Structures are given as C-alpha cells and as structure tokens.
Amino acid sequence: MSIPTSARQWTLREKPHADPVLEGANPTFTQGTASIPELQDGQVLLKTLYLSNDPAQRTWISRAVQPGRLYVPPVETGEVMRAGGIGQVVNSRHSTLKPGDLVTTTIGWTDYSVHDGDSVSVIDPPAGLAVTHFLGALGLAGFTAWYGLYEVAKVTSKDAIVISGAAGAVGNVAVQIAKKLIGCRKDFKKVIGIAGTDDKCRGVEVLGADVCLNYKSPSFKEDLTKATDGFVEVYFDNVGGEILDFMLTRLARHGRVAACGAISNYNRDSDPTALKNYFEVVSMRLQILGFIVIDGLHLLSGARAALVEAWQNGKLLLGEQAETVVDTNFSDIPRTWSMLYSGGNTGKLITKLKD
Amino acid sequence: MSIPTSARQWTLREKPHADPVLEGANPTFTQGTASIPELQDGQVLLKTLYLSNDPAQRTWISRAVQPGRLYVPPVETGEVMRAGGIGQVVNSRHSTLKPGDLVTTTIGWTDYSVHDGDSVSVIDPPAGLAVTHFLGALGLAGFTAWYGLYEVAKVTSKDAIVISGAAGAVGNVAVQIAKKLIGCRKDFKKVIGIAGTDDKCRGVEVLGADVCLNYKSPSFKEDLTKATDGFVEVYFDNVGGEILDFMLTRLARHGRVAACGAISNYNRDSDPTALKNYFEVVSMRLQILGFIVIDGLHLLSGARAALVEAWQNGKLLLGEQAETVVDTNFSDIPRTWSMLYSGGNTGKLITKLKD
C-alpha cells in the first residue's frame, strides 16, 4: 500500500440555524483536500474505514450553545467536522502500533488522518463480532445506555422505565440492559420503548421491550398513558421536547429522568423545549438528571466486558436492530449523517467509506 | 365569649384559567355562611386570627394539574378554600387544649372552624417573637428554605448560589441560611438574590445577600451574567419560567437546581415554561431537583429549633423583610391573597382578620 500524501476532508463552512444544509449555494459543510504532514515519532497515519454518526454532533456545530457550555470544544467554521470512527493503521512511528491494526479514535470527516498513537484504542473483537459494534453497542453509544441506567438513574429491578429513541444507538442497548440485565419489574412487564415507526417498534420488542409505542401514531399519548398506568419510576430521555414534557405527567412521585439527549430540538436552535407540565417536577418531586458519558469513562472497560459477556450469553442482541451500516462515497458523508435526523437508522448509524 | 353557631367562609366557585377573578359576575371564589356543628369528643372550635398566603394555593385550584399529580388533594368547587393559619381555641372537648390556646393548622378561608384537637399544633413562641412567624420563617415557609438548601441541593460552603423570589417568604429565609448559617463562599461573596423591585433588593441585601438583582430591570440579564461570573453551583428556584431558563446558562458543570416553585406560571395554565436552554441540562450535567417540604416534616422541629437559635444569635433577621401582615376584612380575604401574584408582599404575606 502506497502512503498517501493528501487527504480529502469535509470542513464546517457555516453553522446551521435549523436543519443542516446539504445542497445549494450556502451548504453547512464543504469538501476539500489537505496535505498529510510527515509522521513524527509516536504518530500513526490512519485510513478511515468507518465513521460514527451521533446526534450530539449537531450540538457541536450549534449556534445556540455558548462557548464553554459544551463538554467538548465546539467545531468552528473552517475545521474538519469531528466524528468518532474506526481507522486502519497505514503507517506508524509508534512503538507498538503497526500497519493493519484497527483502532477507534476521534477521526473526523476525512479519509486519512494523523494521530498520536497513544490517543487511539486498538480494537480486537471476539470471534464472530463485527468490528463496527465498537462504535455502537460496545462503544460510547452502548456505554451511554449503561452509564445512564446504572450510574445516573440508578435503575433497579423495582423500577418501571420508559426509554425514548428506543430503536436508536443508545436506546436499543438501554432497552436490553433494562430488560435483560437489570430485569425491570419482570412481574409488571414494564420496559416501555418509544420509537418513530411501527417497524422500529416491533424491532424494539424483539430486543426485549414489553411494548414499544410509535410516537407518530395519532393515539400515541393515549397509548403511552395506558402503557404507563400506575406510572413509571424512570424515563431515559434521548429526545427532549414534547415527549419529555408529556413524560413529566407519567412519572411516579420521586421519578427520575436520565437526560441523555434532546435530538428533537437539535435542529431547532430558536425553538425552545416547552415544558407546559414543568410544575410536575415540583409537585411530584421529579429529578431531571443531565449526564454526559465522558464523566464515566473510568467505567468503560468494565461495562464493555459485561456487555460482551451479555452478548455471549444471548442477553445482548447485536443483529439488525443494533446497527445500520451505510456504504457511502466520501462525497456523501454529510448525507449519510443527516439520516440521523430523519429517522433513517435503526441502532447505530455507521458510515462505511467505500472510496 | 359566646360560642358562635355559624361561620363565614369563602368557597371555590370556579377554577380560574389565568388570574383568579375577584370581581364581576363570574368570580373564582364566593362568600357564604355555614352552620358550625356541635363539637364531638376530641374536637376544638377555632376562631381564625391569621391566614397564611402561599403561592402554592394557586396550584391547588389549578385546571392544569391532573388528579393525583399534586401533593395534596386539589380544592374542588364548592369547597372552602384551603389555607394554613393561626387560630385561637374558643371551645374545646379535647383533653389538653383549652380556650385561649393559639394553634396552627390547615384552617381554610373561614372565621370559625372545627378540628380534631390532635391535628393542630400549639404555638408557644419565645419572648419577643411575634406569633405570626410560625406561619413564616419558623413555619413551613422557612422550613422549605431549610429543606431545599440542606436536604435537596445539599448546599455547602463551597457553593455559590442564586436565590429567586429572594424577598418572599421562602427566599428571605433561604438568603439568610445560605449566607449566615452555611456561609456560601465567604471569600467570593456569592449569595445572589433576585427580586422584583429595587426596594426589595435592598432589603434582601440587608438580610445578607452579597447582591440582589431586580428582574424587572432592563439590564437584568447582563447584571445576572456579571454577578454569576465563573458560574454558580446552585440555583434555588421559587419562580420557574424565564429566570429558570436563563439560570440554566449560568450554572456551573454539575450544578443543581432546587426546584421549589414556579410562581411565574401559576396563573398561566396554558402558557408553558419555555426552556430554550434545556440542552444545557444535558451538556453541563445539571440536576433539576423538584421537592415538596412535606417529604421532610420529620426534620421540621429540629430545623425550627435551629432557626429560633439563629434568631436569638442575630443570624436570622425577622424584621420588616420577614413578613407583611395585612389587616383584612373577612370580605377581602381573596384580595389580600392576590397580592402574592402582584408582588405586593415582602417576606411572608399574612392576612390578619380584623372582623
């Protein structure tokens, strides 16, 4: 393999006000080329194989988020769009990493990139397990589910739980942990998923949810009210907005919200989350607990080992519900990413670079 | 004193949609008369001396709060409006209570009422202390401040804090506990009050706030941003709404909101709390902790003893900032109560019945 000297990359051209603009005269991102610097001692050159697509990426390019109020620096205009991914080492001046090794790190929307070898993690998946799961159920997405359930909401088998975005990268793992590892209220069948199509809902039920409700159904609120009869102790919230607002009325006294994300608002900088039921936070003594998984990274390897074991024992399904891998030309990276916001993925949305 | 046989009372006529209606053809409350039943064994007849006025009373007659989603049963149409108060025993068939005793209990908007003697608490204030403080700083209002600071937000001397409604019944005590009992960040002068007039703000500063800001000032947000430079760990929220939304941007990472009330929305059933900064809950890992003081009543007597001691030591001022006692004709009970929502009181708003 010859060593490339230039890399293609997508940079942020203009922070979007609402939906990212993929076409026309004023797109959000722009494609270009940069030369690849010579490797220094300790560095590796990675060829990008897979890119992670995450709702949180939208917040990194938000106009609404103020400086210092994010858990990572925002991506600024002119910078390569940040993204996690899996790369293959194609050149190395690092003591242990060698060409051919597969690693995860923050790669960005580029086909080749130089990294400090100590900043990447080598992937060595057990036999039979696709490497892509290290971006999904066995990566930060799955760990987010783990951390939110065990460490933030401190869910126990006495809790009934509702999980939104249940067909998504975090949600599908959260459903499985809640039902099959924590075993939420086996007697009362109370792991309730929320997703955006009937097909997704059936998939979430395959994963273990006692029921999964389609929030686009005209009877959604009635369905959710019925499913949460007697109320629930925990809401694992991936979406924010209207569903969060409604869930404030469906939580039991002293109920907890694990506030993981608010994708329903990420493309609506000027459109607030209107909590018309906010007073229930006071009257029912609810707790809304925001969290970011990077606070718990010291627990990642232990959680990953437990999730791998759960997979080996059949308690963590990593089939078609776990990931959507999209073969993508480099020029279509933003388009594949935007599927996140139109509900185009089931499980983790992964870009597989085919050129 | 002759024993009366009938009582005047104010009953709920129609739950309001917005501001309670005090005049006209369709008022919220209506005045009437009821006969007083003969006392049974264990009962006492109370003459109402003082009534407690609380923002929470508006939520008890709300159309928006659903059945079962309140910490007390709602007041229904036709029922006497519920209110705490101080009464004097005028007749007793209870073993220890005798005519002349002063007690606190849930009295309601009536001039005479019959109670189970075991359900009332005798007041025996230390010399020099007005009995009315047992509805305010030494009653549930002051205890709400105590409970929210110590038990909910778990404020320590390492925390900087913002307190809204700082001139109100709960807020004025919260300011004093934070500054003079917990001693929030003496070195950085970080007990920040928020109130609704410049006069109130100066009073809050007399109580110990390092600064108090008028939320009606055109420069309020700039002032608050400056006062919270470096961010604050805790927001004690009595008001909800816009100030809560803005405070989400002024809390430090892992900051806590002690969610005590949302008076800004109580008269606006259909007008939601719009949290355009909701994502900060996630990105900054904030905790919004709803609470109701009745969960902590086992701590009330200890807290009251500590507050009395603080008063004796000069660390709890119970002067003009602590209460507004309004001499009120029976026919004006709703009008005095409504002063709560127009900012007419400083400290606890107390109705003193003069007829």
Side-chain angles (χ1 to χ4, degrees):
Chain A
M1 182 187 281
S2 65
I3 304 299
T5 56
S6 75
R8 289 175 291 174
Q9 57 189 27
W10 278 99
T11 54
L12 179 63
R13 187 183 155 280
E14 187 175 64
K15 297 189 179 192
H17 287 277
D19 289 340
V21 180
L22 303 185
E23 294 176 338
N26 293 300
T28 300
F29 305 103
T30 186
Q31 189 181 333
T33 304
S35 61
I36 298 173
E38 202 174 331
L39 289 193
Q40 306 295 312
D41 275 348
Q43 290 186 325
V44 292
L45 176 64
L46 300 183
K47 173 178 166 59
T48 306
L49 302 184
Y50 301 97
L51 289 169
S52 174
N53 296 288
D54 300 279
Q57 288 171 281
R58 176 64 182 82
T59 72
W60 304 342
I61 60 172
S62 169
R63 289 173 182 267
V65 178
Q66 297 301 308
R69 303 299 286 177
L70 204 61
Y71 51 95
V72 289
V75 177
E76 300 297 350
T77 54
E79 294 181 357
V80 175
M81 181 60 187
R82 186 187 299 138
I86 294 174
Q88 186 163 38
V89 177
V90 293
N91 195 11
S92 175
R93 290 185 63 182
H94 184 265
S95 55
T96 59
L97 293 167
K98 56 188 187 306
D101 284 350
L102 295 181
V103 302
T104 59
T105 190
T106 301
I107 284 187
W109 287 358
T110 180
D111 55 355
Y112 289 94
S113 52
V114 172
H115 298 264
D116 180 346
D118 292 338
S119 73
V120 307
S121 304
V122 176
I123 306 175
D124 188 14
L129 193 63
V131 69
T132 46
H133 293 303
F134 283 77
L135 294 182
L138 304 176
L140 286 187
F143 181 57
T144 299
W146 175 285
Y147 185 72
L149 291 171
Y150 284 106
E151 299 294 323
V152 179
K154 300 185 197 303
V155 175
T156 74
S157 60
K158 291 181 180 170
D159 295 321
I161 185 169
V162 171
I163 298 168
S164 60
V170 174
N172 91 86
V173 181
V175 165
Q176 300 193 70
I177 293 173
K179 183 67 182 181
K180 295 186 282 191
L181 300 189
I182 302 176
C184 292
R185 287 207 173 173
K186 289 171 196 163
D187 46 342
F188 288 109
K189 297 191 174 176
K190 285 277 194 177
V191 178
I192 300 159
I194 298 174
T197 71
D198 288 345
D199 274 357
K200 286 184 181 180
C201 284
R202 297 301 79 76
V204 170
E205 289 168 356
V206 168
L207 296 178
D210 296 292
V211 63
C212 184
L213 305 172
N214 181 348
Y215 70 85
K216 292 176 183 162
S217 160
S219 62
F220 171 64
K221 286 190 177 178
E222 292 84 342
D223 298 343
L224 185 55
T225 300
K226 196 175 162 191
T228 56
D229 186 38
F231 304 110
V232 298
E233 283 71 29
V234 177
Y235 174 46
F236 191 108
D237 182 24
N238 286 305
V239 302
E242 270 187 59
I243 298 177
L244 169 61
D245 187 35
F246 190 69
M247 277 305 302
L248 295 181
T249 73
R250 303 309 303 162
L251 282 162
R253 189 173 288 179
H254 302 292
R256 296 98 76 198
V257 176
C260 180
I263 191 172
S264 68
N265 284 93
Y266 290 169
N267 282 340
R268 298 158 60 192
D269 280 356
S270 59
D271 214 4
T273 291
L275 297 183
K276 62 179 187 294
N277 300 307
Y278 174 75
F279 181 65
E280 302 242 0
V281 173
V282 178
S283 66
M284 299 302 285
R285 301 80 126 177
L286 307 181
Q287 301 195 335
I288 301 180
L289 306 169
F291 73 100
I292 293 286
V293 73
I294 57 176
D295 290 335
L297 289 183
H298 57 291
L299 302 172
L300 173 59
S301 62
R304 179 181 283 153
L307 289 172
V308 168
E309 187 186 334
W311 170 70
Q312 289 165 333
N313 295 336
K315 291 187 168 183
L316 179 68
L317 299 181
L318 293 178
E320 60 188 24
Q321 284 84 23
E323 59 179 11
T324 300
V325 180
V326 182
D327 279 318
T328 303
N329 288 316
F330 192 87
S331 59
D332 283 331
I333 285 175
R335 197 171 312 280
T336 296
W337 174 69
S338 74
M339 289 171 62
L340 283 176
Y341 304 97
S342 57
N345 59 302
T346 297
K348 181 75 185 186
L349 177 64
I350 290 174
T351 297
K352 180 178 182 179
L353 275 190
K354 65 177 180 181
D355 65 335
Chain B
M1 182 188 278
S2 67
I3 305 300
T5 56
S6 74
R8 289 174 292 174
Q9 57 189 27
W10 279 98
T11 55
L12 179 62
R13 188 183 155 279
E14 186 175 64
K15 297 189 179 192
H17 288 276
D19 288 340
V21 180
L22 302 186
E23 294 177 339
N26 293 299
T28 299
F29 306 102
T30 186
Q31 187 180 334
T33 304
S35 61
I36 298 172
E38 202 174 334
L39 289 192
Q40 306 296 312
D41 274 349
Q43 291 185 327
V44 292
L45 175 64
L46 300 184
K47 173 178 166 60
T48 305
L49 302 184
Y50 300 98
L51 290 168
S52 175
N53 297 287
D54 301 279
Q57 287 171 282
R58 177 62 182 81
T59 73
W60 305 342
I61 60 172
S62 169
R63 289 173 182 266
V65 177
Q66 297 301 308
R69 303 299 286 177
L70 204 60
Y71 50 95
V72 289
V75 177
E76 301 297 350
T77 54
E79 293 181 357
V80 174
M81 181 59 187
R82 187 186 300 138
I86 294 174
Q88 185 163 38
V89 177
V90 292
N91 195 11
S92 174
R93 290 186 63 183
H94 184 266
S95 55
T96 59
L97 294 166
K98 56 188 186 307
D101 284 350
L102 295 181
V103 303
T104 59
T105 190
T106 301
I107 284 187
W109 287 358
T110 180
D111 55 354
Y112 288 94
S113 53
V114 172
H115 298 264
D116 180 346
D118 291 339
S119 73
V120 306
S121 304
V122 175
I123 306 175
D124 188 13
L129 193 63
V131 69
T132 46
H133 293 303
F134 282 78
L135 296 180
L138 304 176
L140 286 186
F143 182 58
T144 298
W146 176 284
Y147 184 74
L149 291 171
Y150 284 107
E151 300 293 324
V152 178
K154 300 185 197 303
V155 175
T156 74
S157 60
K158 293 181 179 170
D159 296 321
I161 186 169
V162 172
I163 298 168
S164 61
V170 174
N172 91 86
V173 181
V175 165
Q176 299 193 70
I177 293 174
K179 183 66 182 181
K180 295 185 282 191
L181 300 189
I182 302 176
C184 293
R185 287 206 174 175
K186 289 171 198 162
D187 46 341
F188 288 109
K189 296 192 176 178
K190 284 278 193 177
V191 178
I192 300 157
I194 299 174
T197 71
D198 288 344
D199 274 356
K200 286 184 182 181
C201 285
R202 298 301 79 76
V204 171
E205 289 169 355
V206 168
L207 296 177
D210 297 291
V211 63
C212 184
L213 305 172
N214 181 350
Y215 71 85
K216 291 175 182 162
S217 160
S219 62
F220 171 65
K221 287 190 178 180
E222 291 85 342
D223 298 342
L224 185 55
T225 299
K226 195 174 164 192
T228 56
D229 185 38
F231 304 111
V232 298
E233 284 70 30
V234 177
Y235 173 46
F236 192 109
D237 181 23
N238 285 306
V239 303
E242 270 187 58
I243 298 177
L244 169 60
D245 187 36
F246 190 69
M247 277 305 303
L248 296 182
T249 72
R250 304 309 304 161
L251 282 162
R253 189 173 288 179
H254 302 292
R256 296 99 75 199
V257 176
C260 180
I263 191 172
S264 68
N265 284 93
Y266 289 168
N267 281 339
R268 298 157 60 192
D269 280 358
S270 60
D271 214 5
T273 291
L275 297 182
K276 63 178 186 295
N277 300 306
Y278 174 75
F279 181 65
E280 302 242 0
V281 173
V282 178
S283 66
M284 297 302 284
R285 301 81 126 176
L286 307 181
Q287 301 194 335
I288 301 179
L289 307 169
F291 74 100
I292 293 286
V293 74
I294 57 176
D295 291 336
L297 289 183
H298 57 291
L299 302 172
L300 173 59
S301 63
R304 180 181 282 153
L307 289 171
V308 168
E309 188 186 333
W311 169 71
Q312 289 165 332
N313 296 336
K315 291 187 168 185
L316 178 69
L317 300 181
L318 294 178
E320 61 188 23
Q321 284 84 25
E323 60 178 11
T324 300
V325 180
V326 182
D327 279 316
T328 304
N329 288 316
F330 193 87
S331 59
D332 283 330
I333 286 177
R335 197 170 313 278
T336 296
W337 174 69
S338 74
M339 289 171 61
L340 283 176
Y341 304 99
S342 57
N345 58 303
T346 297
K348 179 75 185 185
L349 177 64
I350 291 174
T351 297
K352 179 178 182 179
L353 275 190
K354 64 177 180 180
D355 65 337

